[in-house]
Amino acid sequence: ARVIEVMRFLTAAEVEYCKAVRQATEGSEQLPAISVEGKLYVKAASFPKEQQNEAIAYGRQKILDGKTTGVLVEDAVEFTFWYFDPRVKELPDAGPQVSAADRVNLDELMAAMRGSQGISIQDRRHNLRQYPSCFIGSEAVLWLMGHLGFDKIDATRVGQRLLDEKIAHHVTDSEPFRDGHYFYRFYRDE
C-alpha cells in the first residue's frame, strides 16, 4: 500500500516568503520559496482564482509523480502550488522578508474590490458636502481581512499601498489610509 501525504491548503497570510538556493552539479540556483512550520517549499506553478480545480489536480499529480509533499497557497488573485525539495536551503542573508501585504498585486486587487463581490462604492455625504463614488476605510479593512485573511495591520498596509501607488486617494487628499470613517476613491472612479 502506498501512503500519500495530503496536500496542505493555506492562505498567503499563513506562510512566510523567503529566498532560497538549490544546489546542483552545475552550480546553484536562487529561487522563491515559502517556509511552513520550518520546512521550505519551492514554487512550481500558479493558477488564476477561477482555475481552483486545475490547481488542486496539478498539486495532486505533482505529489504523486515526485513522491513529495506540497502546499497550495491562495491569495487575492491566484492559487500557487509549492513543493518540498530537500536540496533547497534558505539563503542566510536574504534581506528583509516581504510580507503578504507587500506581495498583493494592486491592479488585480482593485478590480476585485470594485467588482460585484467587492466593497461598497457609492456617493456619500459629510458636512453637507457630497463625495461621489467613494468607499469607507474601515469597510475596506474589513473586506481585506475577510477576503485575504489579513489582520488589521496588514489590511491597513495594503490600503496605504493603494494610496502610495496612486490607485486610490483620500477624497480631499488630506489623509493617509486609515481604518476608520474616512472616504477614499479609486482614481478609476473619478
Side-chain angles (χ1 to χ4, degrees), residues 153-190:
I153 293 169
D154 281 340
T156 303
R157 183 179 299 143
V158 169
Q160 185 59 47
R161 282 188 61 215
L162 289 168
L163 273 58
D164 293 344
E165 299 293 325
K166 306 291 188 223
I167 293 171
H169 66 100
H170 183 265
V171 292
T172 64
D173 295 318
S174 62
E175 297 288 335
F177 187 84
R178 297 179 191 262
D179 176 18
H181 197 76
Y182 296 87
F183 298 162
Y184 301 92
R185 182 181 304 118
F186 290 109
Y187 280 103
R188 283 231 175 120
D189 294 326
E190 290 287 317

Side-chain angles (χ1 to χ4, degrees), residues 1-7 59-60 63-65 67-69:
R2 186 170 169 192
V3 177
I4 301 171
E5 185 168 328
V6 177
M7 178 172 38
R60 286 183 179 148
I63 290 170
L64 289 172
D65 291 346
K67 300 179 183 87
T68 185
T69 58

Side-chain angles (χ1 to χ4, degrees), residues 85-97:
D85 183 338
R87 300 170 297 163
V88 172
K89 306 290 182 223
E90 187 170 358
L91 284 174
D93 190 28
Q97 299 298 311

Side-chain angles (χ1 to χ4, degrees), residues 2 4-9 41-47 51-73 79-84:
R2 186 170 169 192
I4 301 171
E5 185 168 328
V6 177
M7 178 172 38
R8 295 188 62 183
F9 296 85
Y41 296 82
V42 293
K43 185 176 180 178
S46 296
F47 300 84
Q51 293 182 354
Q52 178 180 4
N53 292 336
E54 290 87 345
I56 293 169
Y58 176 88
R60 286 183 179 148
Q61 192 61 49
K62 187 80 171 170
I63 290 170
L64 289 172
D65 291 346
K67 300 179 183 87
T68 185
T69 58
V71 177
L72 191 63
V73 177
F79 290 93
T80 307
F81 179 75
W82 305 76
Y83 67 96
F84 175 72

Side-chain angles (χ1 to χ4, degrees), residues 16-29:
E16 288 183 41
Y17 294 87
C18 59
K19 292 193 181 204
V21 62
R22 177 172 35 213
Q23 298 295 334
T25 54
E26 309 84 41
S28 62
E29 165 188 23

